[in-house]
Structure formats: structure tokens, C-alpha cells
């Protein structure tokens, strides 16, 4: 897709998700949670941030709710992205429409006032995300990160970390020092070519052993070096699932901004059966663990 010109700079435009994903053969348990996805726009109502690193396709709440009905999810976690920056209007609108079945993860700055955190908390936000991904802009300084962590700590939020591969090694000590629950997005976007013994994946497993670090077994399409169904990435996700079945969650990552290959969400859901072949483990990952980690106002609701 062509890039857009904003203020003289070229901003990449993302491809849209599949219009008609397949229906998964795997039947999800009641109250299953999609623990990582995004809401974008619509831009005419919720404008995208100036200086954003990419321009997404409109992916409004109505499309998200329809996808979840199609796949079998009844709950979800909406993750704010740099496309909307620290303006959470679209996210909050979706939370209101979700009537307690959805919660959210925010992007904050070191200057965010505590009154804004309280407002977000009351609306259903339960976490804050930090990017250590060059493509998404400069990483926050650790001083700023600690300021934000101290800001959200009284509210009991979790801290989500988005990092690529070996960059995880530079924030291991920081992650260990956080007293809140920490969630590592997308299996730390590990380089699958390094295998289960690679430095980033080894560091991830050691963090999981601390007992306070959770892992989103999402984004297998992002880390795979293969075509669908991304079996090389599934193999790494299965290692974490077996190691810590009580601290894993799963997400579609819809609508897959900046995806290398646009995945079929039905196939991604079917991959859950390979990541967690045991029904008890799947129930933990999709139902029980999200109930413990996130704060849904309504624990069970069919959309």
C-alpha cells in the first residue's frame, strides 16, 4: 500500500486484515479471552496521532466484536498502540460498548497526571505498555519508565513489555525489579532461528521462573520464519506453555499492524490446539489465567 505524507514525512500505511478469515475447527471454552489486539479509529471519528510511526487501516470496535463472535471469544484485552498515541478515546469507546467483557492496556508518558490514570482505571484500563521496538520510535528512558510504574502501582496495573529478541537482555534487570505483574508480549518476538537455547528465549524462560512474569503466546506469525501455520513459532510457544501453564495468555494481535504475512485468524485459533494440546492447559490459558491477570467487570458474557 502507498505511504502517506504527513508534515513532510513519509508514514508507512499498513495492510488491512483478512476480510473473511476462516472459521476455526477448535471450539473454545466459554469465557475465552483474546488477550491482545487493537482498535484503530475509525479515523474520521478518532484521528490518528501526528508523528505516528505507521498509519493503520480503520479497525473499529464493530469489526472486532464481529471477529470475536466468529472465532468464539467472549472477552478481550484492547491494547493501545502508537497509532493513537496517548489519546485513548477509541479504546475507551470500545470498553464502554463491551459492557464489562473487555479491559485495556494504556500508553502513558512520564508527565501523565494521576487524575488521568484514575480516569482510565475507572473505565477499565488495567495495564500500561512500554515499547522497546525501534520501528515504533525511541525507547523510553528507564527514568521515565520508573516514573510511570510508580504512577500506576497504586492502581495495581500490570506492566506490558514489547521488545524484539535480544533487546530483552538489556531490560532483564529492570523487569526483575518491577513489583507489579509483568507481561511479555509476543513471546518477546524471539528469533526462532536461534531455537529454544537462544539467548533471548533463555532469558525469557528465566524471567518466567521468577513467578511474576507472564507471557502472551501471541504473534506467532511475527516471529515465524515459515509460512502458515507457523510451526517453528508454535514449537517455542509450546515450551513456555509447558513451563508455566498458569502464567500464559493468548491473543490474536488483530488487525496485525506491520505484519510480515497477514495471518488468517481462524488458523491462529486452531494453532492454540498445538500450543496447548491438553484441554486443561487451554482452559488455563484462555479462561482462568486472564481472569487472574486482567480485570473484567463481567467475568462471563456472550457477545
Amino acid at each position: 500500500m502507498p505511504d502517506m505524507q504527513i508534515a513532510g514525512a513519509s508514514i508507512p500505511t499498513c495492510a488491512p486484515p483478512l476480510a473473511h478469515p476462516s472459521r476455526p475447527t477448535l471450539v473454545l471454552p466459554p469465557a475465552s479471552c483474546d488477550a491482545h489486539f487493537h482498535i484503530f479509529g475509525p479515523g474520521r471519528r478518532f484521528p490518528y496521532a501526528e508523528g505516528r510511526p505507521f498509519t493503520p487501516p480503520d479497525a473499529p470496535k464493530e469489526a472486532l466484536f464481529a471477529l470475536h463472535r466468529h472465532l468464539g471469544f467472549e472477552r478481550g484485552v484492547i491494547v493501545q498502540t502508537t497509532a493513537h498515541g496517548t489519546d485513548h478515546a477509541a479504546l475507551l469507546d470500545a470498553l464502554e460498548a463491551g459492557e464489562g467483557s473487555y479491559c485495556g492496556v494504556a500508553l502513558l508518558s512520564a508527565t501523565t497526571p494521576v487524575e488521568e490514570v484514575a480516569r482510565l482505571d475507572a473505565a477499565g484500563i488495567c495495564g500500561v505498555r512500554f515499547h522497546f521496538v525501534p520501528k515504533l520510535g525511541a525507547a523510553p528512558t528507564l527514568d521515565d519508565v520508573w516514573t510511570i510504574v510508580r504512577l500506576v502501582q497504586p492502581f495495581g496495573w500490570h506492566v506490558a513489555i514489547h521488545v524484539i529478541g535480544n533487546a530483552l537482555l538489556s531490560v532483564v534487570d529492570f523487569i526483575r525489579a518491577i513489583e507489579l505483574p509483568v507481561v511479555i508480549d509476543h513471546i518477546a518476538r524471539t528469533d526462532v532461528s536461534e531455537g529454544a537455547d537462544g539467548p533471548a528465549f533463555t532469558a525469557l524462560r528465566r524471567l518466567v521462573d521468577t513467578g511474576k512474569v507472564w507471557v502472551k503466546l501471541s504473534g506467532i506469525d511475527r516471529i515465524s520464519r515459515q509460512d502458515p501455520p507457523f510451526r517453528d513459532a508454535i514449537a517455542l510457544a509450546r515450551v513456555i506453555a509447558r513451563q508455566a501453564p498458569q502464567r500464559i495468555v493468548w491473543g490474536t494481535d488483530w488487525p496485525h499492524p506491520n505484519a510480515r504475512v497477514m495471518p488468517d485468524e481462524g488458523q491462529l485459533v486452531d494453532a492454540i490446539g498445538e500450543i496447548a494440546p491438553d484441554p486443561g492447559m487451554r482452559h488455563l490459558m484462555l479462561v482462568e489465567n486472564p481472569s487472574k491477570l486482567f480485570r473484567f467487570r463481567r467475568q462471563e458474557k456472550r457477545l
Side-chain angles (χ1 to χ4, degrees):
M1 300 183 69
D3 291 351
M4 295 183 66
Q5 295 288 331
I6 296 183
S10 179
I11 299 178
T13 301
C14 298
L18 296 184
H20 303 289
S22 63
R23 187 175 296 277
T25 60
L26 180 69
V27 178
L28 301 179
S32 285
C33 173
D34 178 353
H36 191 104
F37 55 88
H38 312 288
I39 294 290
F40 291 129
R44 66 182 182 279
R45 181 180 177 193
F46 303 110
Y48 300 117
E50 293 186 10
R52 61 192 176 274
F54 63 90
T55 297
D58 281 350
K61 63 181 185 294
E62 294 82 4
L64 181 278
F65 294 160
L67 176 69
H68 278 174
R69 288 192 295 268
H70 177 74
L71 298 176
F73 289 103
E74 298 175 11
R75 299 184 295 173
V77 182
I78 308 169
V79 179
Q80 181 80 351
T81 79
T82 53
H84 278 297
T86 57
D87 181 350
H88 297 87
L91 191 160
L92 296 178
D93 175 71
L95 291 184
E96 183 178 5
E99 299 181 343
S101 294
Y102 290 79
C103 57
V105 178
L107 291 179
L108 305 179
S109 74
T111 60
T112 300
V114 67
E115 293 80 9
E116 174 66 1
V117 179
R119 183 181 78 93
L120 296 174
D121 181 79
I125 302 295
C126 64
V128 62
R129 193 186 199 201
F130 296 109
H131 291 286
F132 298 92
V133 178
K135 188 174 183 178
L136 298 178
T141 68
L142 288 186
D143 284 345
D144 283 352
V145 170
W146 278 120
T147 296
I148 296 169
V149 169
R150 287 190 292 268
L151 184 64
V152 305
Q153 190 161 1
F155 297 90
W157 289 9
H158 71 270
V159 175
I161 302 294
H162 185 200
V163 65
I164 295 182
N166 288 336
L168 177 65
L169 305 178
S170 66
V171 293
V172 163
D173 291 342
F174 155 68
I175 291 171
R176 287 179 175 271
I178 297 174
E179 296 181 358
L180 295 169
V182 176
V183 184
I184 308 296
D185 290 347
H186 305 328
I187 325 175
R189 295 185 65 168
T190 303
D191 185 346
V192 294
S193 68
E194 296 178 346
D197 296 324
F201 196 71
T202 298
L204 177 64
R205 296 189 66 187
R206 289 174 178 167
L207 285 170
V208 170
D209 282 338
T210 65
K212 68 174 183 180
V213 173
W214 300 62
V215 182
K216 286 182 183 175
L217 301 183
S218 54
I220 57 172
D221 55 294
R222 292 190 181 277
I223 69 174
S224 178
R225 297 294 184 90
Q226 299 177 357
D227 292 331
F230 314 117
R231 296 196 186 281
D232 54 346
I234 288 173
L236 289 185
R238 190 184 301 123
V239 170
I240 298 294
R242 290 174 176 171
Q243 176 181 343
Q246 293 181 325
R247 289 193 305 283
I248 53 171
V249 291
W250 186 93
T252 57
D253 193 29
W254 182 88
H256 319 285
N258 303 301
R260 176 184 63 87
V261 175
M262 190 57 63
D264 180 327
E265 289 86 10
Q267 291 180 352
L268 292 178
V269 169
D270 281 335
I272 292 172
E274 297 186 58
I275 293 170
D278 176 71
M281 183 185 293
R282 287 201 296 274
H283 197 271
L284 281 170
M285 182 170 71
L286 297 172
V287 181
E288 297 175 53
N289 294 349
S291 294
K292 294 176 182 177
L293 179 61
F294 308 118
R295 293 185 298 180
F296 299 102
R297 297 179 178 179
R298 184 177 300 175
Q299 291 298 315
E300 295 188 19
K301 174 180 179 295
R302 296 182 185 276
L303 292 175

